[in-house]
């Protein structure tokens, strides 16, 4: 068995001081640059020693916590050959955990020979106290709450102004109380590691609000986490104390150095040929499987170790429970294409620190063979856009969608039973940061991204959305009532689906982004959650659904339904659904009857979920006696309201 190479891990304390290390196969020399305490004045530039393993090393006996530093790389500058060496560029250590300022665009960052030491963030040498390792707080089948730290907390009236927009705000009692009320089992933090705006945004007066344009894979962005690793660790501990897990959304598929016109910030300047993927025989061309200008070579041993070490850092030093991976097929891509058995994916779920962490794949990118839903290793959960679209299409009224909805409710077995698997790996969601908010989904038939500065060309066009008779916001009480009913029905559908659930922050209360379905560049009131506008009726409904899901054990199971006593599908007359019922193009109403333990009573029971997407009341009969409503006032036989999901219990 071949032993994989072990590469350096940045700055580490030794008995002789601090050893600085960095890998570069193609640089002729790398310098360690030290700065004063303000990170403004370069105080030393020290050539590092290159070893036969292409690791550049230097031990500094006087470096201690708080030391500001960066690297400079010497060599040939020939981007047409994949070589970007420019010693005028200060470069971020890929293993840096904290930096002293955010990244900002400047023409010098991509102009050869232009000095960048004054404007580049400096790595801060930091010591971290490891946290006690504990099992993850989140169990499959639970509710994940996706949030952007700033957008979620910036306008909260009870959060002190000095911590609004930061990771620390998530530990505030008002935030914790809201999360507890709606039954959140884990928060998923959109990227909090250091990022840079896409270069076309500053001239438009816009900035990245989501963080999916990383420079450092480990370094926390000081705008979101000014207290560094300690702030993240303390917030994780506060959430854990309330039984809420923490998942980090990480981006390893590309860097903010972008395309051939982009900046020299870190990996590009250290060793572009190693860090990024290039077509065979074309080192000057950057593969763009991500749509962002470059693709990280995740199958290279150095990058593989950097990824795994990044994950280990957040578990060991902050106690996080799991990770979501943006454009995850890149992580499993080799020269031959996507491989679920790739060494990088295997290393992520077999590592002794990571083996029990929650791993979630966004299972698509725009590269060849980039749509891989259902094909990740069994240790990964996967975002399920098929279920998302089928739930949307059913409630929009698309013909012939009843069967597709039933598949989504049942854990999407046609997708996840491949490869001989017996359990669903689905993360079910109706909306995410990408696309419409849930309320906008029922308020707009088309996107409205004009404020993004791209003439409404950006963002998805096929949203499976509807507007209930008027495009955009309105005060018409009938339309408002119809939209609220639709949001309730959609939420109910999501919460009775088999799999892990994900809800995006604010969707529990009817948050709007004014029809913008690509608000990544709207770091303003468009993307910020307006807590004063959230609808208490919707929040209460979400809380009811979360409590219902926790009460009945059927929802924490991940095996596929067999149809042998665990689930029955009923037509409105109370008889089992026939082939003709399933295939009716205009199918309006049906029921899913589940056999389930009731954790409140400790007894076996039956839970009936009655669904009516039509615009008329439907008489519905449940077989036998003893049914009682939960959360509704309708008797049996039920007159099932239009555009509704209602619940009945027996046993």
């Amino acid at each position: 068995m071949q032993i994989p190479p072990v590469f350096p891990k940045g700055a580490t304390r030794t008995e002789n001081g601090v050893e600085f290390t960095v890998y570069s196969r193609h640089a002729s020399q790398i310098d360690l640059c030290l700065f004063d305490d303000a990170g403004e004045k370069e105080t030393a530039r020290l050539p590092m020693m290159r070893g036969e393993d292409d690791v550049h090393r230097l031990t500094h006996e006087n470096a201690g916590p708080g030391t500001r530093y960066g690297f400079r790389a010497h060599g040939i500058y020939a981007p047409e050959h994949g070589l970007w060496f420019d010693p005028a560029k200060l470069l971020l250590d890929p293993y840096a955990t904290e930096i002293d300022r955010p990244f900002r665009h400047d023409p010098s960052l991509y102009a050869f020979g232009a000095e960048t030491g004054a404007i580049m963030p400096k790595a801060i040498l930091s010591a971290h106290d490891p946290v006690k390792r504990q099992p993850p707080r989140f169990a499959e089948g639970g509710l994940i709450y996706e949030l952007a730290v700033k957008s979620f907390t910036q306008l909260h009236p009870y959060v002190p102004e000095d911590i609004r927009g930061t990771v620390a705000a998530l530990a505030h009692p008002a935030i914790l109380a809201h999360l507890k009320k709606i039954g959140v089992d884990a928060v998923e933090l959109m990227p909090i590691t250091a990022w840079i705006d896409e270069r076309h945004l500053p001239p438009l007066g816009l900035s990245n609000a989501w963080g999916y344009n990383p420079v450092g894979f480990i370094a926390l962005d000081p705008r979101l986490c000014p207290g560094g690793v300690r702030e993240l660790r303390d917030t994780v501990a506060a959430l854990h104390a309330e039984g809420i897990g923490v998942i980090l959304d990480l981006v390893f598929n590309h860097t903010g150095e972008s395309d051939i016109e982009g900046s020299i910030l870190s990996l590009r300047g250290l060793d572009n040929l190693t860090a990024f993927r290039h077509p065979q025989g074309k080192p000057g061309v950057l593969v763009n499987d991500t749509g962002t200008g470059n693709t990280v070579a995740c199958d290279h041993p150095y990058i593989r170790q950097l990824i795994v070490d990044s994950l280990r850092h957040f578990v060991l030093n902050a106690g996080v429970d799991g990770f979501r991976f943006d454009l995850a097929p890149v992580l499993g891509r080799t020269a031959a294409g996507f491989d679920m058995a790739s060494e990088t994916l295997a290393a992520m779920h077999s590592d002794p620190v990571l083996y029990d962490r929650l791993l979630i794949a966004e299972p698509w990118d725009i590269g060849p063979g980039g749509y891989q839903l259902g094909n990740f290793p069994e240790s990964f959960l996967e975002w399920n856009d098929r279920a998302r679209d089928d739930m949307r299409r059913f409630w929009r009224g698309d013909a012939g969608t009843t069967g597709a909805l039933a598949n989504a409710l049942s854990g999407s077995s046609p997708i996840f039973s491949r490869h001989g698997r017996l359990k669903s790996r689905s993360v079910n969601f109706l909306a995410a940061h990408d696309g419409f908010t849930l309320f906008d989904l029922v308020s707009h038939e088309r996107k409205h991204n004009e404020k993004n500065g791209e003439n409404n060309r950006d963002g998805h066009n096929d949203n499976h959305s509807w507007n209930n008779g008027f495009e955009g916001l309105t005060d018409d009480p009938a339309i408002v009532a119809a939209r609220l009913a639709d949001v309730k029905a959609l939420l109910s559908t999501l919460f009775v689906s088999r799999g892990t659930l994900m809800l995006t922050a604010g969707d529990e209360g009817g948050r709007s982004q004014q029809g913008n379905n690509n608000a990544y560049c709207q770091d303003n009131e468009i993307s910020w959650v307006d807590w004063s506008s959230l609808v208490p009726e919707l929040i209460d409904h979400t809380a009811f659904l979360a409590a219902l899901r926790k009460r009945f054990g059927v929802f924490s199971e991940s095996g596929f339904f067999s149809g042998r006593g665990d689930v029955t599908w009923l037509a409105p007359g109370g008889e089992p659904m026939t082939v003709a019922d399933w295939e009716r193009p205009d199918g309006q109403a049906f029921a899913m009857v589940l056999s389930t333990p009731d954790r409140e009573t400790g007894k076996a029971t039956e839970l009936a979920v009655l669904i009516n997407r039509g615009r008329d009341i439907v008489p519905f009969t449940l077989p036998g006696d003893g049914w009682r409503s939960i959360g509704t006032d309708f008797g049996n036989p039920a007159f099932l309201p239009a555009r509704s999901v209602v619940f009945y219990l027996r046993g």
Side-chain angles (χ1 to χ4, degrees):
M1 176 180 169
Q2 186 176 2
I3 299 176
V6 177
F7 296 95
K9 301 179 183 291
T12 55
R13 180 160 296 281
T14 71
E15 60 182 12
N16 298 316
V18 174
E19 184 182 44
F20 294 87
T21 56
V22 65
Y23 174 82
S24 179
R25 181 180 179 185
H26 297 95
S28 60
Q29 178 184 313
I30 292 185
D31 297 334
L32 170 68
C33 300
L34 302 178
F35 290 80
D36 63 9
D37 292 344
E40 302 297 334
K41 181 181 179 181
E42 186 173 343
T43 59
R45 187 176 301 187
L46 307 171
M48 304 176 77
M49 294 291 294
R50 180 192 191 120
E52 294 183 358
D53 55 0
D54 298 319
V55 175
H56 303 250
R57 296 179 170 86
L58 186 147
T59 297
H60 196 289
E61 62 182 8
N62 296 321
T67 297
R68 268 67 167 170
Y69 74 98
F71 297 125
R72 297 181 188 268
H74 300 258
I76 297 171
Y77 183 84
E80 67 275 14
H81 297 292
L83 302 171
W84 294 76
F85 298 110
D86 181 359
K89 300 292 180 287
L90 188 71
L91 305 173
L92 179 69
D93 180 2
Y95 276 85
T97 61
E98 298 178 9
I99 56 177
D100 67 347
R101 69 196 73 187
F103 283 91
R104 305 288 188 191
H105 265 293
D106 188 276
S108 63
L109 295 175
Y110 43 83
F112 176 72
E115 171 62 36
T116 64
I119 61 172
M120 272 287 293
K122 304 353 182 251
I124 302 174
L125 188 62
S126 304
H128 308 300
D129 297 323
V131 300
K132 182 180 179 182
R133 196 178 189 284
Q134 297 179 337
R137 291 301 195 282
F138 183 83
E140 294 175 18
L143 173 61
I144 296 170
Y145 191 71
E146 181 195 46
L147 62 89
V149 169
K150 183 179 181 180
S151 298
F152 184 58
T153 63
Q154 186 70 20
L155 299 180
H156 198 291
Y158 298 129
V159 173
E161 291 188 12
D162 62 328
I163 62 169
R164 289 179 185 174
T166 72
V167 169
L170 300 177
H172 188 273
I175 297 292
L176 296 173
H178 180 75
L179 298 175
K180 292 284 285 184
K181 177 174 181 175
I182 60 173
V184 170
D185 296 304
V187 293
E188 182 177 297
L189 310 187
M190 290 164 59
I192 60 173
T193 57
W195 81 89
I196 190 167
D197 288 337
E198 292 80 356
R199 66 177 180 271
H200 73 278
L201 294 181
L204 297 172
L206 301 172
S207 58
N208 192 304
W210 290 353
Y212 290 97
N213 205 37
V215 179
F217 292 156
I218 308 177
L220 296 169
D221 196 287
R223 290 167 289 192
L224 298 181
C225 207
V229 175
R230 180 180 294 275
E231 179 176 338
L232 176 60
R233 182 190 68 199
D234 291 348
T235 297
V236 170
L239 287 157
H240 280 177
E242 297 295 332
I244 300 171
V246 178
I247 300 165
L248 298 186
D249 191 342
L250 298 178
V251 183
F252 295 120
N253 57 76
H254 78 283
T255 77
E257 292 161 303
S258 188
D259 57 22
I260 198 165
E261 303 293 328
S263 305
I264 304 173
L265 305 172
S266 184
L267 289 173
R268 170 170 288 174
L270 289 168
D271 197 341
N272 169 73
L273 290 175
T274 290
F276 300 100
R277 193 172 295 281
H278 309 270
Q280 185 70 31
K282 298 180 179 179
V285 177
L286 291 161
V287 169
N288 189 18
D289 291 338
T290 63
T292 58
N294 64 52
T295 302
V296 175
C298 296
D299 59 335
H300 189 281
Y302 170 64
I303 300 297
R304 178 183 307 126
Q305 181 182 297
L306 174 60
I307 291 170
V308 172
D309 286 341
S310 301
L311 304 181
R312 288 172 58 91
H313 163 73
F314 288 118
V315 174
L316 293 172
N317 297 312
V320 304
D321 302 272
F323 306 93
R324 181 264 185 186
F325 302 104
D326 187 65
L327 302 184
V330 173
L331 294 167
R333 188 166 278 121
T334 69
F338 177 81
D339 181 3
M340 73 165 64
S342 76
E343 291 184 60
T344 299
L345 292 177
M348 293 166 65
H349 63 79
S350 64
D351 184 88
V353 172
L354 306 175
Y355 74 93
D356 62 348
R357 299 297 104 170
L358 185 69
L359 305 176
I360 303 173
E362 181 185 41
W364 51 78
D365 61 31
I366 65 170
Y371 190 75
Q372 294 294 333
L373 178 63
N375 292 329
F376 274 74
E378 199 165 4
S379 53
F380 283 75
L381 302 182
E382 302 180 40
W383 274 25
N384 188 349
D385 64 326
R386 298 271 186 86
R388 175 200 66 192
D389 291 350
D390 287 341
M391 287 188 281
R392 290 181 177 190
R393 292 174 61 236
F394 176 85
W395 283 104
R396 187 172 66 172
D398 291 16
T401 53
T402 304
L405 177 65
N407 272 334
L409 296 177
S410 304
S412 300
S413 59
I415 296 170
F416 294 103
S417 65
R418 297 199 297 264
H419 314 294
R421 296 172 182 175
L422 303 176
K423 295 183 177 180
S424 180
R425 313 300 299 160
S426 183
V427 176
N428 299 329
F429 63 103
L430 289 162
H433 63 271
D434 283 321
F436 283 138
T437 69
L438 190 54
F439 191 79
D440 284 352
L441 182 73
V442 303
S443 307
H444 299 85
E445 289 189 349
R446 58 189 183 276
K447 65 187 184 184
H448 298 271
N449 298 355
E450 291 81 4
K451 292 183 178 180
N452 293 358
E454 299 184 46
N455 297 314
N456 208 33
R457 294 189 301 269
D458 63 305
H460 297 293
N461 292 312
D462 193 13
N463 298 286
H464 310 295
S465 62
W466 62 100
N467 64 18
N468 277 287
F470 185 85
E471 186 71 8
L473 298 180
T474 177
D475 294 327
D476 186 307
I479 295 176
V480 171
R483 290 173 176 174
L484 292 179
D486 281 358
V487 171
K488 281 185 171 182
L490 284 161
L491 286 169
S492 296
T493 305
L494 175 66
F495 273 77
V496 298
S497 64
R498 174 151 288 197
T500 295
L501 306 188
M502 187 186 77
L503 189 66
T504 297
D507 279 352
E508 73 277 16
R511 178 177 75 99
S512 174
Q513 291 181 165
Q514 304 174 28
N516 192 318
N517 76 349
N518 190 33
Y520 78 100
C521 57
Q522 300 296 333
D523 186 14
N524 49 47
E525 287 80 2
I526 291 176
S527 69
W528 298 349
V529 176
D530 180 2
W531 291 82
S532 67
S533 71
L534 299 185
V535 182
E537 179 185 351
L538 292 179
I539 295 173
D540 290 343
H541 183 67
T542 304
F544 160 73
L545 293 169
L548 183 87
R549 190 172 174 93
K550 292 181 189 316
R551 175 179 173 181
F552 297 106
V554 67
F555 297 118
S556 57
E557 299 171 7
S558 57
F560 302 116
F561 291 129
S562 67
R564 296 185 294 273
D566 51 1
V567 65
T568 304
W569 306 93
L570 300 179
E575 300 85 13
M577 293 273 285
T578 64
V579 173
D581 291 326
W582 287 114
E583 295 180 348
R584 280 185 58 188
D586 61 342
Q588 300 292 319
F590 69 99
M592 175 175 66
V593 181
L594 301 167
S595 299
T596 177
D598 184 344
R599 291 169 175 154
E600 189 173 286
T601 65
K603 298 179 179 179
T605 189
E606 291 179 285
L607 178 68
V609 183
L610 280 61
I611 299 172
N612 178 18
R613 76 170 181 183
R615 303 210 177 258
D616 298 310
I617 294 173
V618 176
F620 208 109
T621 300
L622 290 172
D625 300 321
W627 293 99
R628 62 188 187 278
S629 62
I630 305 178
T632 64
D633 296 321
F634 306 100
N636 181 51
F639 288 90
L640 191 54
R643 309 291 286 173
S644 72
V645 179
V646 299
F647 304 92
Y648 291 86
L649 185 65
R650 180 170 69 175

